Amino acid sequence: QVQLVESGGGLVQPGGSLRLSCAASGSIFTIDFMGWYRQVPGKGRELCASIFEGGDTNYVDSVKGRFTISRDNAKNTVSLQMNSLKPEDTAVYYCYATIRTIARTYLEVWGQGTRVTVSA
């Protein structure tokens, strides 16, 4: 059993900052890909930031220069530092990871989601 647990969402004013964190636990051998998706009502999930085990990162254009994704491979955690937040960043943010278990099975795992609201 492997799970992802997120924390750090909340209400922030435009221009403010939030930091999201996600911790993976369970029978983990390696975690290849970790990412943060976000979803607003009526739309599909959007991959806004991702990071591979080696450290390569990617960002959707709308968050470049404002969001920073990082991970701690020893602790199996991934974080998303969000600065200069805009109302259009309001969404439910989901942590996602591709995990090789100790039993050498391959899993795609989602967190439960954490709500971020950017509003004055």
Side-chain angles (χ1 to χ4, degrees):
Q1 183 76 8
V2 176
Q3 64 176 353
L4 300 176
V5 178
E6 301 142 343
S7 60
L11 172 64
V12 64
Q13 293 186 342
S17 298
L18 279 176
R19 185 176 181 86
L20 306 182
S21 297
C22 173
S25 63
S27 301
I28 298 169
F29 180 62
T30 59
I31 303 177
D32 181 22
F33 176 93
M34 303 189 86
W36 288 95
Y37 286 74
R38 62 186 182 184
Q39 186 172 25
V40 297
K43 293 189 177 181
R45 291 185 184 181
E46 172 190 51
L47 177 61
C48 57
S50 63
I51 185 167
F52 286 89
E53 186 176 15
D56 289 343
T57 59
N58 285 288
Y59 300 90
V60 69
D61 285 347
S62 60
V63 308
K64 284 180 180 178
R66 300 187 299 121
F67 290 11
T68 302
I69 189 170
S70 60
R71 63 187 284 175
D72 185 329
N73 292 332
K75 297 181 179 179
N76 292 329
T77 59
V78 63
S79 297
L80 185 67
Q81 178 66 41
M82 305 185 294
N83 299 328
S84 302
L85 282 161
K86 304 175 181 180
E88 50 264 43
D89 294 318
T90 295
V92 177
Y93 285 72
Y94 295 90
C95 179
Y96 169 84
T98 59
I99 296 174
R100 183 78 58 183
T101 69
I102 293 174
R104 300 301 191 268
T105 56
Y106 180 83
L107 301 176
E108 298 183 24
V109 186
W110 290 92
Q112 79 282 4
T114 185
R115 184 173 300 277
V116 172
T117 303
V118 185
S119 175

